[in-house]
Amino acid sequence: MDQSKTEPDPSYRNNGTNHISLYGEFTSLGNRKFRCSACLTEKDLTVQRITPAPVGRNKVVLNLKDCIGCRAYRAEDSGEPGAYFAAYFYPLRKRWMCSGVSRQRVEQCFRVDAHQEPRANQEEAEKWARAVSERSARQQHLRDGVLFSEVRRPCRMMLLVNPESGKGQALALYDKHIKRMLNEAGVPHTLVITGSDAWLSSINLRLVERVVVDSG
């Protein structure tokens, strides 16, 4: 993030209902020569490439209604002064080589390196992650014309997976998709493999707030 750059690019415009909450410039996780700007409003996260020189489509607007979570973290390298935050979206997009639309995973990751002190970079990353999460949660209350109740996070969730039910793909779905989505959304959970009566005696429903069933 460019510490001297505190004002948004002129291409970003406020309107009466979607004012700019945060603006910053960051480097990429995998390529530090790649720089982009991020602009957060109450409804959207807009990401625009700065360098290398933009060619073709260089701006992406992500609706916070599609955001399931955002987290800040440090690099595994202890000598790395930068910090990171990543936001996870599942927007509806056209399927590849077939008709119809489906929700597809989009991850936006940013490296914060405006300060020499690692702690200051971490605090900046946490500020962004908190702001994205809070605005996303507000957008979840009303989606597709339906009022949704917010799942309190963290909540005590139990996920029941029956590997024999349906087509027998429940456990594979959990390993490939569900586990990652819950982790990205910051929802801790307990996995219970069903299929016999033995699992019933091993759980205490008084310690559970949410039950989710994955039956393949």
Side-chain angles (χ1 to χ4, degrees):
M1 178 179 169
D2 187 349
Q3 192 171 9
S4 63
K5 183 75 171 180
T6 58
E7 295 298 325
D9 187 273
S11 63
Y12 295 111
R13 298 300 183 197
N14 284 320
N15 59 49
T17 60
N18 204 23
H19 68 278
I20 295 173
S21 302
L22 284 176
Y23 175 85
E25 295 183 3
F26 307 96
T27 54
S28 171
L29 174 62
N31 183 359
R32 297 184 186 179
K33 293 182 179 180
F34 182 94
R35 297 187 64 82
C36 66
S37 64
C39 181
L40 179 67
T41 70
E42 283 295 318
K43 297 180 179 180
D44 306 301
L45 176 66
T46 301
V47 182
Q48 184 167 8
R49 187 171 66 181
I50 301 174
T51 58
V55 177
R57 185 182 180 187
N58 62 83
K59 180 187 289 187
V60 177
V61 180
L62 298 163
N63 194 319
L64 292 177
K65 288 183 179 181
D66 299 323
C67 181
I68 66 168
C70 187
R71 68 185 182 98
Y73 60 95
R74 292 293 309 277
E76 295 181 358
D77 181 4
S78 59
E80 159 69 285
Y84 303 84
F85 69 95
Y88 308 99
F89 296 80
Y90 283 81
L92 283 172
R93 292 185 172 179
K94 291 183 179 180
R95 297 179 179 179
W96 186 61
M97 295 185 66
C98 62
S99 61
V101 296
S102 64
R103 293 202 175 271
Q104 301 178 29
R105 182 178 182 272
V106 175
E107 176 182 355
Q108 288 287 340
C109 184
F110 307 89
R111 180 177 181 268
V112 182
D113 59 357
H115 309 280
Q116 294 182 349
E117 289 293 329
R119 182 176 179 180
N121 289 325
Q122 179 69 19
E123 290 176 350
E124 181 71 14
E126 290 174 351
K127 180 181 76 174
W128 271 86
R130 184 167 54 251
V132 172
S133 297
E134 289 174 351
R135 284 156 181 76
S136 172
R138 287 199 286 268
Q139 291 299 316
Q140 299 306 317
H141 284 293
L142 184 61
R143 186 174 62 197
D144 299 329
V146 178
L147 186 65
F148 286 78
S149 61
E150 182 182 356
V151 176
R152 182 171 58 85
R153 304 176 185 177
C155 67
R156 296 174 294 183
M157 177 180 289
M158 176 175 292
L159 180 62
L160 305 180
V161 175
N162 186 344
E164 306 298 330
S165 178
K167 297 181 180 180
Q169 298 179 349
L171 192 56
L173 285 172
Y174 170 78
D175 290 332
K176 187 175 181 180
H177 299 291
I178 299 173
K179 181 180 179 180
R180 180 174 64 181
M181 291 179 68
L182 291 175
N183 290 337
E184 290 173 351
V187 179
H189 63 283
T190 299
L191 175 65
V192 177
I193 306 296
T194 67
S196 66
D197 294 336
W199 66 273
L200 290 170
S201 60
S202 64
I203 65 173
N204 184 353
L205 291 178
R206 294 180 179 179
L207 303 178
V208 178
E209 295 177 294
R210 301 285 192 278
V211 176
V212 177
V213 178
D214 175 14
S215 59

